[in-house]
Every structure is written in C-alpha cells, then in structure tokens.
Amino acid sequence: MDWSPFLVQAGVVLAPRPLPTREGIGDRLRTAAFAELQAERAFNRAAEIYTDAPQSLRDAWKHLAAEETKHMTWLLGRLEEMEIDVQERPVSDSLWQSLSKCKDARSFAHYIADSEERGRRAGQRFHDTLLTIDEKTAKIFGEIAREEQRHIDLAYKHFPLTEIS
C-alpha cells in the first residue's frame, strides 16, 4: 500500500516527544494525520466489501472517508506551516492492519468507532493542553474531535451494542 507522504514502519514506533515542545506537537500532528489516512482508506474499503451493511451505511462510509481526508489535510497543512517534515519520524500502520481484518460490517463499524473514540478523546486532550500554547493547532484538534463524534454515533446507530448475558 502506498502511504505517501508518510514514512511507515511495521510494529512499534517511537513514542511521541513531550508536549508542549514543537517536536511533540509535530509528532501528534503526524500521527493523527496518518490515522486519518488509514481511516479514510478503511471507510472506502468497507463501503466496497461489506455487502452485509445497508446501502445507506455504505454511502455514509464514503462520506466519512471524505471527512477523514479533510482532517488529514488540516493536520498536514499545520505540519507544513510549522515547517515540520512529515517523514521526520515513522508512523505505524497498525490501525489499518486491524481494520482490514474485520470479518463483517458490524465488526468493522464497532472497531472503527472504538478507534475514532480514542482519537476523539486524544484530540480533545490536545486541544485543551495546547489552547494557551499553540491556539491554531489546538483549534484543529478540537474541530476534528467534534466531527469524530458523528462518525462514532453513525456506527452505533446501524449496529447498536448488545448486552452479553
């Protein structure tokens, strides 16, 4: 798979450097941008292969893929503004590896919703942490976190969680 412009490394990658350093902010922008690319590709793939999903959900996944691309563009644009090289450090494709192993629409919807929730929470934390340090980056993370909530809600609308007895 071509993951340009990212430098992808299998397995575990270096931990992000501390916030509020410029390098730490760059690490989070890079990682989030790559997560958005993986999600975009996963939503498009899901729309094509999960014929057990209703057509309305498959159409919605295509729309979400476009939103993920928009998010990635915001994040990469901020990296460029900060003059931070996207390939300075490798990123992991573990999200893609996991999503591509989902066997059906329900498992995909739940897995990606869980991933989006983790990303939403991280984005909100970055927003809150960076607001007084780097307002522009903080606002990007905050807006993405708000939009990710719709992605999460869509998955559970079509495939509600059920109680295990």
Side-chain angles (χ1 to χ4, degrees), residues 112-132:
I112 201 159
D114 184 58
S115 298
E116 297 264 42
E117 175 59 22
R118 286 191 312 275
R120 187 198 65 74
R121 285 192 315 261
Q124 189 61 53
R125 277 193 315 274
F126 298 151
H127 169 269
D128 297 346
T129 300
L130 296 173
L131 201 52
T132 60

Side-chain angles (χ1 to χ4, degrees), residues 5-7 17 22 26-27 30 76 79-80 82-90:
F6 299 93
L7 175 62
R17 291 167 284 192
R22 178 180 174 280
D27 290 349
R30 181 181 305 105
L76 290 176
L79 272 174
E80 187 175 322
M82 294 179 71
E83 298 180 354
I84 297 172
D85 183 2
V86 70
Q87 292 192 351
E88 179 184 333
R89 289 172 67 127

Side-chain angles (χ1 to χ4, degrees), residues 65-120:
E67 284 194 3
E68 301 293 1
T69 299
K70 175 183 72 173
H71 297 164
M72 181 187 67
T73 301
W74 292 346
L75 295 159
L76 290 176
R78 184 64 183 139
L79 272 174
E80 187 175 322
E81 287 174 3
M82 294 179 71
E83 298 180 354
I84 297 172
D85 183 2
V86 70
Q87 292 192 351
E88 179 184 333
R89 289 172 67 127
V91 291
S92 170
D93 67 348
S94 61
L95 176 60
W96 171 259
Q97 295 301 326
S98 296
L99 288 168
S100 62
K101 292 177 185 169
C102 292
K103 301 292 185 207
D104 56 26
R106 180 184 191 82
S107 62
F108 172 80
H110 285 180
Y111 196 98
I112 201 159
D114 184 58
S115 298
E116 297 264 42
E117 175 59 22
R118 286 191 312 275
R120 187 198 65 74

Side-chain angles (χ1 to χ4, degrees), residues 137-157:
T137 301
K139 286 184 176 182
I140 292 169
F141 278 118
E143 182 60 28
I144 291 171
R146 281 186 288 282
E147 291 189 11
E148 296 295 2
Q149 186 61 56
R150 288 194 326 270
H151 301 191
I152 296 161
D153 294 343
L154 178 71
Y156 295 121
K157 173 185 171 194

